[in-house]
Amino acid sequence: MENYKHILLAVDFYEHCEAVANRAKDLAHRFQAKLSIIHVVDCLPMTEAGYGMDMPFNMDLTAELMAAAKKKLAKLAEELAVTEDKLWLEMGSPKTEIIRVAAENKVDLIVVGSHGRHGLALLLGSTANGVLHHAACDVLAVRLQEE
Ligand code: AMP
């Protein structure tokens, strides 16, 4: 088996995220691979979406979410010694963005948690499941146990 050269860690900053991050760091070390990190801020509903509600927010809240996510990402990057050029902060569908960034950057292994905010009700979380089914490269789903 050839060594992995570029590992992409997908983080949601929920509980257990640290265990997933540590596994990705360990693998990058073992394979002497480049380690990148991605976090995707989920799309927000637009104003006047036809629900009969005129929501009092749109881009401002998005900007706040992006800023908060950026801070979290920078902190994790520091802990894992990942430089800024290997950080991806995207907006949209987590599954789609993880797959796109992986494909565009010659990632050969994506590391996700088996579950995230969607909990342990599913055998595999929805993002993990989507990435596993649609990514062109290998995907490692780090098994997260219920405490
Ligand atoms: P889920 O499918 O939401 O249960 O999450 C499973 C795993 O997918 C998480 O442990 C993360 O590795 C990844 N993931 C979920 N949401 C995101 C997100 N917004 N950005 C990056 N990775 C995510």
Side-chain angles (χ1 to χ4, degrees):
M1 188 179 81
E2 262 193 48
N3 280 0
Y4 291 115
K5 294 186 178 68
H6 190 184
I7 297 173
L8 180 64
L9 161 66
V11 286
D12 57 5
F13 297 119
Y14 279 83
E15 210 186 337
H16 300 301
C17 155
E18 202 182 322
V20 183
N22 287 338
R23 183 63 59 86
K25 185 185 179 184
D26 182 50
L27 285 169
H29 183 71
R30 282 172 197 241
F31 288 108
Q32 293 295 297
K34 182 165 131 180
L35 178 62
S36 295
I37 312 174
I38 182 168
H39 174 69
V40 184
V41 174
D42 261 311
C43 287
L44 286 171
M46 300 300 287
T47 54
E48 295 178 297
Y51 311 131
M53 279 174 70
D54 191 6
M55 294 184 215
F57 60 82
N58 55 10
M59 294 314 288
D60 289 338
L61 185 54
T62 301
E64 273 183 37
L65 277 175
M66 288 296 269
K70 196 173 176 182
K71 272 192 195 163
K72 285 255 185 193
L73 195 57
K75 186 168 177 283
L76 179 65
E78 199 184 330
E79 285 163 14
L80 299 183
V82 171
T83 51
E84 211 177 326
D85 57 316
K86 297 188 208 80
L87 300 183
W88 302 92
L89 178 58
E90 304 298 326
M91 176 167 289
S93 145
K95 179 196 92 174
T96 307
E97 290 306 303
I98 292 166
I99 290 169
R100 181 184 62 77
V101 166
E104 288 176 2
N105 293 279
K106 293 188 181 157
V107 165
D108 45 15
L109 178 67
I110 300 171
V111 178
V112 294
S114 57
H115 302 88
R117 87 186 141 135
H118 297 106
L120 293 161
L122 300 168
L123 189 59
L124 205 56
S126 58
T127 306
N129 202 24
V131 171
L132 195 59
H133 279 95
H134 298 284
C137 64
D138 288 0
V139 177
L140 173 70
V142 177
R143 170 61 65 201
L144 300 172
Q145 306 288 349
E146 204 162 6
E147 281 174 356

